[in-house]
Amino acid sequence: MKKNNANHSPENNKKNKRSSFLRMLDYVEVVGNKLPHPATLFAGLALLVVLISWLAHIAGTTAQHPVDGHSIYAKSLVSGEGLRWMYENILHNFLKFPPLGYVLVVMIGIGAAEGSGLFNTMIRALVLGAPKRMITAAIVLAGVISGLAVEAGYVILIPLGAMIFHALGRHPMAGLAAAFTGVSGGFGANFFIGSIDPILAGISESAAQMIIPDIVVNPAVNYYFMIASSFVVLITGTWVTEKIVEPRLGPYNGTAERMPIEQLTRKEKKGLRNAGWALLVTLILLALSVIPENGLLRDPESGSVLHSPFFRAIIIGILLMFFFPALAYGITVGTVRNDKDVAHHIGKSMSTMGGYIVLVFFAAQFVYFFNYSNLGIIFAIKGANTLQSVGLTGIPLIVGFVILSAFINMFMGSASAKWAIMAPVFIPMLMLIDPPYHPGLTQAAFRIGDSLTNLITPMMSYFALIVTFAEKYDKRYGIGTIISTMLPYTLIMGVVWIALLVVWMLLGIPLGPDGPLFIK
């Protein structure tokens, strides 16, 4: 009896539960990786959208637009109009797909930095100088801050996280996962106000004015809660990486070449200093283009910084911040002797993007076929109406809204597009209950849900890029590997983040400047 009791002790039960959870993740990975190649999968999904759009059109599937009440019909891609649209727009869909241009442009700077040896030396300096136990937290934190320029986080930081872990002898997928968590969590958590904040606030304000015509929702309405949320992402992201993801992955046995960690030579140290000076000069010039009231890259009409050419084309600024330091480093250490060397480094880096370009072609068709058919909008509206009809109130309603936002994000990638559909339904609804909730609270709940499932939805624009990064370390890695690796972050961070929101509401803490919980 004693032995039986020992086997059923709380410690053993906890261990068995954790083992079951890890076995479930293994199952998700196996099933996911048995799917076809990601390019084939996206092509199949695009064809599936064509079929579903036809069936939905025949069934007369519609939804009422929450703003003006007009009917939104499912559009068939099998009709004459739909077939003509596909034929005319396949090329356009590929060219306008945001990750394609962002990645290829920034690869010019990355190629120069990688080919000159700057990346190698930077990582060695980081590995040799930083406390080893702080590396994971530093990568997650950098991901959160990268929310100011989301493209930079996905394109640069995520592969860099994998490279750093690999250089340290740790599993590169764990570094990729830590960076991915910080970048995607950065949508709903940050220490700074970014370009997405005015967009969401503007949509929230328009929806709220349906009830109170003169109400104002400022871009910093969630700022206090965003700062607190940053610590949630940082702490849970670090803990899940080190306690769940990395132990599950085990040692890395792939064939990717590991960056050697050798002491820096005197010439390399001088190259890093010169690269630092080049970066400083570049930052000063960029700052001078937006800080003065007559700055060249400010909006010429309104003088705005957030809605300016600088932020609309921030990827060019990021390119320059890699390119000029790479030149300074390469000239110093001798890896850049002339223009031919620069072109060679960039071309070599670009040559590795062939598989990604193929993947993006089919992913773009899937996303834009889905948008054209109106299926994403219809699913979003019907899901919102379902939650509204359940009759929840107070904290359960807010928690339910977080979960709904997370669910809708699995089918509709664009955050601003989702919020434009959901805000006119939920903001007025929560303003009319007792007590009436401020629009900033509804917006904060939406951002939590949207951030959580960014980690596991193929509808996220950069998901195909994440798969490409993973395949660099093992050709067998696919969609199942990414989803199974990121699922613990979604689940655990979701519980902690929702708990933070509930405690915040119970304590009645303002969400940000002029961001109370309730409308007075």
Side-chain angles (χ1 to χ4, degrees):
M1 291 296 294
K2 287 183 179 181
K3 184 177 181 180
N4 187 53
N5 289 337
N7 289 335
H8 291 82
S9 66
E11 290 77 9
N12 284 335
N13 288 336
K14 182 178 180 181
K15 183 177 180 180
N16 290 334
K17 289 180 180 178
R18 183 173 180 275
S19 298
S20 298
F21 178 64
L22 294 179
R23 286 198 300 271
M24 183 270 289
L25 295 179
D26 294 338
Y27 178 76
V28 170
E29 180 175 9
V30 170
V31 172
N33 286 343
K34 284 184 177 179
L35 295 171
H37 186 277
T40 307
L41 182 61
F42 279 117
L45 289 173
L47 293 175
L48 183 61
V49 168
V50 172
L51 175 62
I52 294 175
S53 72
W54 175 61
L55 296 175
H57 178 74
I58 292 176
T61 305
T62 63
Q64 297 297 121
H65 196 286
V67 177
D68 54 24
H70 79 271
S71 295
I72 301 174
Y73 296 90
K75 297 169 67 175
S76 173
L77 284 159
V78 182
S79 65
E81 180 184 354
L83 291 171
R84 285 190 295 272
W85 180 89
M86 285 192 293
Y87 184 83
E88 292 181 9
N89 286 276
I90 284 177
L91 175 61
H92 187 57
N93 294 342
F94 175 54
L95 295 178
K96 73 178 182 180
F97 196 53
L100 177 67
Y102 289 138
V103 171
L104 294 184
V105 168
V106 83
M107 283 303 292
I108 295 174
I110 291 177
E114 190 172 31
S116 69
L118 177 59
F119 270 175
N120 184 304
T121 305
M122 285 176 57
I123 293 175
R124 285 163 52 208
L126 174 64
V127 171
L128 291 169
K132 301 297 185 293
R133 60 182 181 179
M134 297 298 294
I135 291 292
T136 306
I139 291 174
V140 176
L141 179 60
V144 171
I145 296 174
S146 76
L148 292 170
V150 178
E151 292 79 15
Y154 284 112
V155 176
I156 298 166
L157 185 63
I158 291 176
L160 193 59
M163 291 169 63
I164 291 172
F165 267 50
H166 191 206
L168 285 168
R170 300 170 67 178
H171 202 293
M173 279 297 295
L176 181 147
F180 190 10
T181 299
V183 172
S184 282
F187 171 70
N190 213 316
F191 295 100
F192 308 97
I193 300 298
S195 57
I196 189 65
D197 295 284
I199 297 174
L200 297 183
I203 296 172
S204 299
E205 183 176 292
S206 298
Q209 288 176 349
M210 296 168 62
I211 307 299
I212 304 176
D214 60 349
I215 193 171
V216 175
V217 180
N218 73 76
V221 70
N222 294 147
Y223 186 53
Y224 303 154
F225 185 73
M226 285 170 58
I227 293 176
S229 298
S230 299
F231 290 101
V232 169
V233 176
L234 174 61
I235 295 170
T236 58
T238 302
W239 187 86
V240 171
T241 300
E242 296 185 345
K243 301 299 182 182
I244 297 179
V245 171
E246 199 164 9
R248 172 179 173 265
L249 291 169
Y252 174 65
N253 298 314
T255 58
E257 185 178 353
R258 180 176 169 183
M259 188 176 298
I261 306 300
E262 301 172 352
Q263 293 294 327
L264 270 62
T265 65
R266 182 177 300 177
K267 184 178 287 188
E268 287 173 333
K269 291 178 180 178
K270 183 179 179 181
L272 282 182
R273 286 196 298 269
N274 290 343
W277 284 113
L279 177 60
L280 180 61
V281 171
T282 304
L283 291 174
I284 290 173
L285 292 175
L286 290 173
L288 290 175
S289 72
V290 291
I291 292 177
E293 291 185 1
N294 61 344
L296 178 65
L297 294 182
R298 280 197 179 209
D299 186 275
E301 295 181 2
S302 65
S304 170
V305 175
L306 286 175
H307 300 91
S308 66
F310 177 79
F311 275 106
R312 285 196 295 269
I314 187 65
I315 201 70
I316 302 301
I318 295 168
L319 160 64
L320 298 176
M321 286 189 286
F322 279 96
F323 188 75
F324 290 125
L327 285 184
Y329 178 85
I331 292 171
T332 302
V333 301
T335 54
V336 173
R337 297 179 298 275
N338 51 47
D339 61 303
K340 294 180 181 179
D341 287 336
V342 177
H344 173 74
H345 295 326
I346 296 173
K348 184 178 180 180
S349 182
M350 284 286 190
S351 68
T352 64
M353 301 303 294
Y356 172 67
I357 293 173
V358 173
L359 188 59
V360 162
F361 176 82
F362 293 105
Q365 308 313 320
F366 168 54
V367 170
Y368 288 115
F369 284 11
F370 201 68
N371 291 343
Y372 173 85
S373 67
N374 285 336
L375 293 176
I377 296 175
I378 291 172
F379 289 165
I381 294 175
K382 288 187 177 294
N385 291 339
T386 299
L387 183 56
Q388 187 178 6
S389 65
V390 171
L392 296 175
T393 59
I395 289 177
L397 174 59
I398 296 296
V399 173
F401 180 59
V402 172
I403 296 172
L404 176 67
S405 299
F407 177 74
I408 290 176
N409 189 45
M410 297 292 293
F411 304 97
M412 192 175 180
S414 171
S416 57
K418 283 194 298 290
W419 191 227
I421 295 297
M422 299 173 71
V425 175
F426 285 96
I427 283 182
M429 181 181 74
L430 295 182
M431 291 173 67
L432 294 172
I433 65 174
D434 186 23
Y437 286 117
H438 191 274
L441 175 61
T442 313
Q443 179 179 294
F446 164 75
R447 297 183 74 166
I448 294 174
D450 195 73
S451 299
L452 293 174
T453 47
N454 270 343
L455 301 171
I456 58 174
T457 172
M459 285 299 296
M460 195 271 292
S461 298
Y462 289 92
F463 197 87
L465 180 63
I466 308 302
V467 174
T468 302
F469 290 149
E471 287 178 337
K472 175 182 176 181
Y473 296 96
D474 194 325
K475 293 297 182 183
R476 297 172 297 175
Y477 290 164
I479 291 176
T481 304
I482 303 300
I483 294 177
S484 65
T485 301
M486 302 312 300
L487 190 58
Y489 296 97
T490 293
L491 297 176
I492 295 174
M493 190 162 66
V495 171
V496 177
W497 211 340
I498 290 173
L500 172 68
L501 181 62
V502 170
V503 172
W504 202 281
M505 293 174 64
L506 292 174
L507 295 176
I509 304 172
L511 295 159
D514 196 25
L517 294 176
F518 305 104
I519 297 173
K520 297 181 181 179

